[in-house]
Amino acid sequence: MAKQIYEVFFREDITDDMLAHAAKLFTKNYGIWGDQPSCTNIRHSLVGKHAALNVPRLRDHCLPDNADILYARVTVDGTLAGNAFACRWPWNGKRICWITQLVVDQRFRDRGFAKGLLGVLRVEGNDVYGIMSSHPFACQAAAKTFAGSIEKVSLDFIASNAESIMKASPISYVRDAKLCGSIFDAKDSTGLVSGADSNFFIDHREPLEALRVVREVWNWPLGELLDGHEYVLIMQAIHRRSHFIPKSIDKK
């Protein structure tokens, strides 16, 4: 049986080599560019090509200066199968843990690795978890890990607290995101319930198929997926018995 190892690293332990492998994983597996409106800075020649990421951009995107960062990864027989970055910051006397990136290699999908990565980031002292993602499977994995299920997510909590939580973030794309959806604007008629205009026009064919699949099983609370937008999911932690962050967890 394949040997699976989950590891979690604090910011000071994250090496350039780890970031190089994470950037390569993102570039090969995150998604491809969709059609770009004239307002974006993505060249139309890139449409249909993989969204690429290099180490400097990854540092800027997920590891801002002086931020509290966690990095989780899972390897299968020594091969990087998936990873996740999280940023933590204080808010109203509580600690936010925001998933800034979650990527699983296409060869290792449908094996529970996304939930496993989020699970090792679920640690004592985190009071609220958040994620912005255009992929319903990522949102579903986060909801199952942090809230119990996607149907247990509190839209009232998101509506009341999303703006102040996100404005306090050291992550620029989270801090500057424009909240959208009917829970933030009663006049919104797009079908989006909880999301943000991220101006990130990744191709949505795969996420839309995932949305169709999820809706066959669950009462999906976040609404429609719009081009250039991502879902916003924020959940209060379910506190259980305390545990420490492991350097590695072996699963055979």
Side-chain angles (χ1 to χ4, degrees), residues 121-143:
L121 292 173
R122 185 181 176 277
V123 298
E124 183 71 15
N126 295 338
D127 300 296
V128 178
Y129 292 90
I131 187 172
M132 277 175 56
S133 176
S134 61
H135 209 301
F137 286 166
C139 295
Q140 184 186 36

PDB file of all heavy atoms in Angstrom, residues 121-143:
ATOM      1  N   LEU A 121      -4.564  21.386   9.184  1.00  0.00           N
ATOM      2  CA  LEU A 121      -4.508  22.821   9.484  1.00  0.00           C
ATOM      3  C   LEU A 121      -5.544  23.227  10.524  1.00  0.00           C
ATOM      4  O   LEU A 121      -5.558  24.377  10.976  1.00  0.00           O
ATOM      5  CB  LEU A 121      -4.736  23.632   8.201  1.00  0.00           C
ATOM      6  CG  LEU A 121      -3.628  23.536   7.156  1.00  0.00           C
ATOM      7  CD1 LEU A 121      -4.047  24.237   5.871  1.00  0.00           C
ATOM      8  CD2 LEU A 121      -2.328  24.137   7.683  1.00  0.00           C
ATOM      9  N   ARG A 122      -6.393  22.314  10.905  1.00  0.00           N
ATOM     10  CA  ARG A 122      -7.438  22.565  11.903  1.00  0.00           C
ATOM     11  C   ARG A 122      -6.835  22.319  13.288  1.00  0.00           C
ATOM     12  O   ARG A 122      -6.794  21.197  13.773  1.00  0.00           O
ATOM     13  CB  ARG A 122      -8.616  21.636  11.650  1.00  0.00           C
ATOM     14  CG  ARG A 122      -9.803  21.886  12.552  1.00  0.00           C
ATOM     15  CD  ARG A 122     -10.919  20.880  12.241  1.00  0.00           C
ATOM     16  NE  ARG A 122     -12.016  21.052  13.140  1.00  0.00           N
ATOM     17  CZ  ARG A 122     -12.073  20.534  14.369  1.00  0.00           C
ATOM     18  NH1 ARG A 122     -11.062  19.799  14.807  1.00  0.00           N
ATOM     19  NH2 ARG A 122     -13.114  20.755  15.150  1.00  0.00           N
ATOM     20  N   VAL A 123      -6.345  23.395  13.906  1.00  0.00           N
ATOM     21  CA  VAL A 123      -5.585  23.256  15.144  1.00  0.00           C
ATOM     22  C   VAL A 123      -6.174  24.116  16.254  1.00  0.00           C
ATOM     23  O   VAL A 123      -6.948  25.051  16.011  1.00  0.00           O
ATOM     24  CB  VAL A 123      -4.101  23.633  14.929  1.00  0.00           C
ATOM     25  CG1 VAL A 123      -3.465  22.702  13.919  1.00  0.00           C
ATOM     26  CG2 VAL A 123      -3.960  25.077  14.493  1.00  0.00           C
ATOM     27  N   GLU A 124      -5.807  23.788  17.471  1.00  0.00           N
ATOM     28  CA  GLU A 124      -6.242  24.531  18.647  1.00  0.00           C
ATOM     29  C   GLU A 124      -5.831  25.995  18.529  1.00  0.00           C
ATOM     30  O   GLU A 124      -4.719  26.323  18.125  1.00  0.00           O
ATOM     31  CB  GLU A 124      -5.607  23.917  19.902  1.00  0.00           C
ATOM     32  CG  GLU A 124      -6.029  24.559  21.205  1.00  0.00           C
ATOM     33  CD  GLU A 124      -7.462  24.249  21.582  1.00  0.00           C
ATOM     34  OE1 GLU A 124      -8.051  23.317  20.991  1.00  0.00           O
ATOM     35  OE2 GLU A 124      -7.987  24.934  22.467  1.00  0.00           O
ATOM     36  N   GLY A 125      -6.730  26.879  18.870  1.00  0.00           N
ATOM     37  CA  GLY A 125      -6.444  28.316  18.851  1.00  0.00           C
ATOM     38  C   GLY A 125      -7.016  29.032  17.654  1.00  0.00           C
ATOM     39  O   GLY A 125      -7.105  30.259  17.651  1.00  0.00           O
ATOM     40  N   ASN A 126      -7.403  28.290  16.617  1.00  0.00           N
ATOM     41  CA  ASN A 126      -8.092  28.910  15.485  1.00  0.00           C
ATOM     42  C   ASN A 126      -9.578  29.000  15.809  1.00  0.00           C
ATOM     43  O   ASN A 126     -10.204  27.998  16.153  1.00  0.00           O
ATOM     44  CB  ASN A 126      -7.896  28.084  14.211  1.00  0.00           C
ATOM     45  CG  ASN A 126      -6.454  28.053  13.747  1.00  0.00           C
ATOM     46  OD1 ASN A 126      -5.663  28.926  14.088  1.00  0.00           O
ATOM     47  ND2 ASN A 126      -6.106  27.038  12.968  1.00  0.00           N
ATOM     48  N   ASP A 127     -10.135  30.190  15.692  1.00  0.00           N
ATOM     49  CA  ASP A 127     -11.540  30.401  16.059  1.00  0.00           C
ATOM     50  C   ASP A 127     -12.475  30.484  14.860  1.00  0.00           C
ATOM     51  O   ASP A 127     -13.657  30.153  14.971  1.00  0.00           O
ATOM     52  CB  ASP A 127     -11.673  31.698  16.875  1.00  0.00           C
ATOM     53  CG  ASP A 127     -10.858  31.669  18.146  1.00  0.00           C
ATOM     54  OD1 ASP A 127     -11.146  30.831  19.012  1.00  0.00           O
ATOM     55  OD2 ASP A 127      -9.913  32.479  18.275  1.00  0.00           O
ATOM     56  N   VAL A 128     -11.952  30.944  13.741  1.00  0.00           N
ATOM     57  CA  VAL A 128     -12.758  31.108  12.533  1.00  0.00           C
ATOM     58  C   VAL A 128     -11.918  30.684  11.336  1.00  0.00           C
ATOM     59  O   VAL A 128     -10.726  31.012  11.260  1.00  0.00           O
ATOM     60  CB  VAL A 128     -13.217  32.571  12.350  1.00  0.00           C
ATOM     61  CG1 VAL A 128     -14.009  32.738  11.056  1.00  0.00           C
ATOM     62  CG2 VAL A 128     -14.053  33.034  13.545  1.00  0.00           C
ATOM     63  N   TYR A 129     -12.544  29.949  10.414  1.00  0.00           N
ATOM     64  CA  TYR A 129     -11.867  29.521   9.195  1.00  0.00           C
ATOM     65  C   TYR A 129     -12.522  30.160   7.982  1.00  0.00           C
ATOM     66  O   TYR A 129     -13.745  30.346   7.949  1.00  0.00           O
ATOM     67  CB  TYR A 129     -11.921  27.998   9.054  1.00  0.00           C
ATOM     68  CG  TYR A 129     -11.116  27.266  10.091  1.00  0.00           C
ATOM     69  CD1 TYR A 129     -11.691  26.883  11.302  1.00  0.00           C
ATOM     70  CD2 TYR A 129      -9.777  26.972   9.874  1.00  0.00           C
ATOM     71  CE1 TYR A 129     -10.953  26.210  12.259  1.00  0.00           C
ATOM     72  CE2 TYR A 129      -9.031  26.297  10.833  1.00  0.00           C
ATOM     73  CZ  TYR A 129      -9.621  25.931  12.026  1.00  0.00           C
ATOM     74  OH  TYR A 129      -8.885  25.281  12.976  1.00  0.00           O
ATOM     75  N   GLY A 130     -11.694  30.480   6.986  1.00  0.00           N
ATOM     76  CA  GLY A 130     -12.232  31.083   5.780  1.00  0.00           C
ATOM     77  C   GLY A 130     -11.516  30.602   4.535  1.00  0.00           C
ATOM     78  O   GLY A 130     -10.367  30.143   4.593  1.00  0.00           O
ATOM     79  N   ILE A 131     -12.203  30.720   3.398  1.00  0.00           N
ATOM     80  CA  ILE A 131     -11.614  30.388   2.108  1.00  0.00           C
ATOM     81  C   ILE A 131     -12.364  31.142   1.019  1.00  0.00           C
ATOM     82  O   ILE A 131     -13.573  31.342   1.110  1.00  0.00           O
ATOM     83  CB  ILE A 131     -11.653  28.860   1.846  1.00  0.00           C
ATOM     84  CG1 ILE A 131     -10.892  28.492   0.567  1.00  0.00           C
ATOM     85  CG2 ILE A 131     -13.083  28.353   1.802  1.00  0.00           C
ATOM     86  CD1 ILE A 131     -10.734  26.985   0.357  1.00  0.00           C
ATOM     87  N   MET A 132     -11.637  31.599   0.010  1.00  0.00           N
ATOM     88  CA  MET A 132     -12.220  32.109  -1.228  1.00  0.00           C
ATOM     89  C   MET A 132     -11.824  31.127  -2.317  1.00  0.00           C
ATOM     90  O   MET A 132     -10.640  30.861  -2.519  1.00  0.00           O
ATOM     91  CB  MET A 132     -11.672  33.494  -1.578  1.00  0.00           C
ATOM     92  CG  MET A 132     -12.354  34.648  -0.883  1.00  0.00           C
ATOM     93  SD  MET A 132     -11.526  36.231  -1.262  1.00  0.00           S
ATOM     94  CE  MET A 132     -11.598  36.250  -3.060  1.00  0.00           C
ATOM     95  N   SER A 133     -12.814  30.586  -3.018  1.00  0.00           N
ATOM     96  CA  SER A 133     -12.503  29.603  -4.052  1.00  0.00           C
ATOM     97  C   SER A 133     -13.618  29.560  -5.083  1.00  0.00           C
ATOM     98  O   SER A 133     -14.799  29.691  -4.743  1.00  0.00           O
ATOM     99  CB  SER A 133     -12.320  28.211  -3.441  1.00  0.00           C
ATOM    100  OG  SER A 133     -12.102  27.238  -4.449  1.00  0.00           O
ATOM    101  N   SER A 134     -13.231  29.335  -6.328  1.00  0.00           N
ATOM    102  CA  SER A 134     -14.217  29.155  -7.385  1.00  0.00           C
ATOM    103  C   SER A 134     -14.591  27.684  -7.550  1.00  0.00           C
ATOM    104  O   SER A 134     -15.427  27.363  -8.400  1.00  0.00           O
ATOM    105  CB  SER A 134     -13.684  29.703  -8.716  1.00  0.00           C
ATOM    106  OG  SER A 134     -12.509  29.003  -9.104  1.00  0.00           O
ATOM    107  N   HIS A 135     -13.979  26.803  -6.769  1.00  0.00           N
ATOM    108  CA  HIS A 135     -14.234  25.378  -6.939  1.00  0.00           C
ATOM    109  C   HIS A 135     -15.137  24.840  -5.827  1.00  0.00           C
ATOM    110  O   HIS A 135     -14.757  24.843  -4.655  1.00  0.00           O
ATOM    111  CB  HIS A 135     -12.927  24.591  -6.958  1.00  0.00           C
ATOM    112  CG  HIS A 135     -13.024  23.333  -7.772  1.00  0.00           C
ATOM    113  ND1 HIS A 135     -13.925  22.339  -7.493  1.00  0.00           N
ATOM    114  CD2 HIS A 135     -12.357  22.927  -8.895  1.00  0.00           C
ATOM    115  CE1 HIS A 135     -13.800  21.361  -8.367  1.00  0.00           C
ATOM    116  NE2 HIS A 135     -12.863  21.698  -9.239  1.00  0.00           N
ATOM    117  N   PRO A 136     -16.329  24.380  -6.174  1.00  0.00           N
ATOM    118  CA  PRO A 136     -17.246  23.856  -5.157  1.00  0.00           C
ATOM    119  C   PRO A 136     -16.672  22.703  -4.345  1.00  0.00           C
ATOM    120  O   PRO A 136     -17.000  22.567  -3.163  1.00  0.00           O
ATOM    121  CB  PRO A 136     -18.453  23.398  -5.990  1.00  0.00           C
ATOM    122  CG  PRO A 136     -18.438  24.277  -7.183  1.00  0.00           C
ATOM    123  CD  PRO A 136     -16.971  24.457  -7.498  1.00  0.00           C
ATOM    124  N   PHE A 137     -15.816  21.868  -4.956  1.00  0.00           N
ATOM    125  CA  PHE A 137     -15.238  20.766  -4.189  1.00  0.00           C
ATOM    126  C   PHE A 137     -14.327  21.281  -3.075  1.00  0.00           C
ATOM    127  O   PHE A 137     -14.266  20.707  -1.989  1.00  0.00           O
ATOM    128  CB  PHE A 137     -14.461  19.826  -5.105  1.00  0.00           C
ATOM    129  CG  PHE A 137     -15.326  18.943  -5.972  1.00  0.00           C
ATOM    130  CD1 PHE A 137     -14.775  18.264  -7.050  1.00  0.00           C
ATOM    131  CD2 PHE A 137     -16.674  18.784  -5.709  1.00  0.00           C
ATOM    132  CE1 PHE A 137     -15.560  17.447  -7.852  1.00  0.00           C
ATOM    133  CE2 PHE A 137     -17.478  17.965  -6.506  1.00  0.00           C
ATOM    134  CZ  PHE A 137     -16.916  17.302  -7.585  1.00  0.00           C
ATOM    135  N   ALA A 138     -13.587  22.374  -3.331  1.00  0.00           N
ATOM    136  CA  ALA A 138     -12.747  22.967  -2.286  1.00  0.00           C
ATOM    137  C   ALA A 138     -13.615  23.517  -1.161  1.00  0.00           C
ATOM    138  O   ALA A 138     -13.308  23.342   0.025  1.00  0.00           O
ATOM    139  CB  ALA A 138     -11.875  24.071  -2.875  1.00  0.00           C
ATOM    140  N   CYS A 139     -14.704  24.190  -1.532  1.00  0.00           N
ATOM    141  CA  CYS A 139     -15.615  24.732  -0.518  1.00  0.00           C
ATOM    142  C   CYS A 139     -16.266  23.608   0.279  1.00  0.00           C
ATOM    143  O   CYS A 139     -16.409  23.697   1.505  1.00  0.00           O
ATOM    144  CB  CYS A 139     -16.684  25.590  -1.182  1.00  0.00           C
ATOM    145  SG  CYS A 139     -16.070  27.088  -1.983  1.00  0.00           S
ATOM    146  N   GLN A 140     -16.655  22.564  -0.414  1.00  0.00           N
ATOM    147  CA  GLN A 140     -17.282  21.433   0.258  1.00  0.00           C
ATOM    148  C   GLN A 140     -16.313  20.772   1.230  1.00  0.00           C
ATOM    149  O   GLN A 140     -16.689  20.416   2.359  1.00  0.00           O
ATOM    150  CB  GLN A 140     -17.778  20.418  -0.773  1.00  0.00           C
ATOM    151  CG  GLN A 140     -18.539  19.248  -0.165  1.00  0.00           C
ATOM    152  CD  GLN A 140     -18.872  18.195  -1.205  1.00  0.00           C
ATOM    153  OE1 GLN A 140     -18.096  17.946  -2.115  1.00  0.00           O
ATOM    154  NE2 GLN A 140     -20.028  17.569  -1.068  1.00  0.00           N
ATOM    155  N   ALA A 141     -15.054  20.595   0.812  1.00  0.00           N
ATOM    156  CA  ALA A 141     -14.049  19.987   1.695  1.00  0.00           C
ATOM    157  C   ALA A 141     -13.819  20.855   2.922  1.00  0.00           C
ATOM    158  O   ALA A 141     -13.697  20.349   4.045  1.00  0.00           O
ATOM    159  CB  ALA A 141     -12.741  19.776   0.938  1.00  0.00           C
ATOM    160  N   ALA A 142     -13.755  22.189   2.721  1.00  0.00           N
ATOM    161  CA  ALA A 142     -13.551  23.094   3.849  1.00  0.00           C
ATOM    162  C   ALA A 142     -14.745  23.056   4.796  1.00  0.00           C
ATOM    163  O   ALA A 142     -14.580  23.021   6.026  1.00  0.00           O
ATOM    164  CB  ALA A 142     -13.333  24.515   3.333  1.00  0.00           C
ATOM    165  N   ALA A 143     -15.947  23.058   4.237  1.00  0.00           N
ATOM    166  CA  ALA A 143     -17.140  23.031   5.082  1.00  0.00           C
ATOM    167  C   ALA A 143     -17.224  21.735   5.877  1.00  0.00           C
ATOM    168  O   ALA A 143     -17.575  21.745   7.068  1.00  0.00           O
ATOM    169  CB  ALA A 143     -18.389  23.217   4.222  1.00  0.00           C
TER     170      ALA A 143
END
